[in-house]
């Protein structure tokens, strides 16, 4: 069976199991008739030829099952049966159905949120040229369990002058400031950075 014929068979199996069964029965009937004609040409009566042909080919149910497996439609039949059974069970227990749908929705939402964070932080590269060459350097206190203690400008300037492994070094620090003037005060998230920060990221 060609790939196009197999795909058409799969599609028919998904749309209608009865249509596929009818096609399988037609195929089996054709083989029985062909074998019976061969026996009849050898002198066997038609009824006896049909009986022998059916006995040689096996039962119709077994042949139908083997044909489904050869065509690759058995998995669709099993899936359709499982879906029908699941729908019947869900209709019988509306409370369980509501809990199952709610749990599924929460699980999908949580996974989507987690993936969005992981994709933005870990998977998606930084929006700068040569993102793999960017590194973050900080100073931590071993006495405080490795907590980032920040860095004075004097230490930063010493690092930049003495570094032989980094092409450039820029510093920045986050600040929460309040903008006042006309109207109500507005809280702003600001960054104080060294002048070479933007050139380093270009």
């Amino acid at each position: 069976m060609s790939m196009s014929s197999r795909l058409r068979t799969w599609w028919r199996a998904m749309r209608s199991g009865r249509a596929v069964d009818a096609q399988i029965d037609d195929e089996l009937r054709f083989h029985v008739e062909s074998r019976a004609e061969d026996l009849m040409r050898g002198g066997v009566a038609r009824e006896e030829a049909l009986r022998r042909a059916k006995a040689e080919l096996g039962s119709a149910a077994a042949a139908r099952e083997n044909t489904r497996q050869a065509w690759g439609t058995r998995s669709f039949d099993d899936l359709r049966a499982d879906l029908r059974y699941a729908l019947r069970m869900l209709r019988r227990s509306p409370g369980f159905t509501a809990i199952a749908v709610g749990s599924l929705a929460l699980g999908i939402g949580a996974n989507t949120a987690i993936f969005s964070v992981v994709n933005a932080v870990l998977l998606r590269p930084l929006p700068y040229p040569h993102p793999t060459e960017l590194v973050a350097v900080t100073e931590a206190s071993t006495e405080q369990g490795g907590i980032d203690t920040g860095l004075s400008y004097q230490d930063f300037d010493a690092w930049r002058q003495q570094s032989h492994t980094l092409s450039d070094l820029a510093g920045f620090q986050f600040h929460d400031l309040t903008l006042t003037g006309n109207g109500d005060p507005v809280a702003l998230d600001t960054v104080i950075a060294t002048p070479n920060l933007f050139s380093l990221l270009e």
Side-chain angles (χ1 to χ4, degrees):
M1 181 182 293
S2 64
M3 181 59 69
S4 60
S5 299
R6 186 180 296 274
L7 291 175
R8 286 195 296 270
T9 302
W10 286 348
W11 175 246
R12 284 194 297 269
M14 294 181 66
R15 294 183 61 185
S16 174
R18 294 181 180 178
V20 173
D21 288 343
Q23 184 176 355
I24 292 176
D25 291 339
D26 292 341
E27 188 77 14
L28 294 175
R29 192 178 301 107
F30 169 77
H31 289 294
V32 170
E33 293 288 345
S34 298
R35 178 55 182 159
E37 290 178 0
D38 292 340
L39 294 174
M40 291 169 61
R41 281 193 292 268
V44 181
R46 177 175 176 77
E47 293 183 1
E48 179 64 18
L50 289 173
R51 187 188 67 79
R52 291 184 183 181
K54 292 179 181 179
E56 291 177 3
L57 292 175
S59 65
R64 188 181 295 111
E65 186 68 17
N66 293 334
T67 305
R68 283 198 186 98
Q69 293 179 357
W71 285 3
T73 60
R74 173 62 185 274
S75 59
F76 291 110
D77 295 336
D78 294 341
L79 177 61
R80 184 168 54 248
D82 291 341
L83 290 176
R84 289 175 179 173
Y85 176 77
L87 290 175
R88 286 197 301 269
M89 295 302 295
L90 291 176
R91 282 197 295 265
R92 292 178 182 176
S93 304
F96 172 77
T97 302
I99 294 175
V101 172
S103 300
L104 183 62
L106 289 175
I108 293 175
N111 283 305
T112 302
I114 293 173
F115 175 77
S116 300
V117 174
V118 172
N119 182 50
V121 176
L122 299 178
L123 302 181
R124 185 183 302 171
L126 296 174
Y128 307 111
H130 311 292
T132 57
E133 298 179 4
L134 294 174
V135 295
V137 183
T138 185
E139 186 176 88
S141 173
T142 56
E143 297 178 355
Q144 302 180 22
I147 299 177
D148 184 3
T149 57
L151 189 68
S152 66
Y153 183 80
Q154 290 77 11
D155 290 338
F156 164 77
D157 189 54
W159 283 12
R160 183 167 58 179
Q161 293 180 12
Q162 299 175 16
S163 174
H164 301 289
T165 58
L166 302 176
S167 60
D168 198 1
L169 189 64
F172 62 91
Q173 186 177 21
F174 295 101
H175 279 275
D176 296 329
L177 300 179
T178 301
L179 177 64
T180 59
N182 295 331
D184 297 331
V186 178
L188 298 177
D189 296 327
T190 62
V191 175
I192 298 176
T194 56
N196 64 324
L197 176 62
F198 294 106
S199 61
L200 183 146
L201 297 176
E202 291 179 352

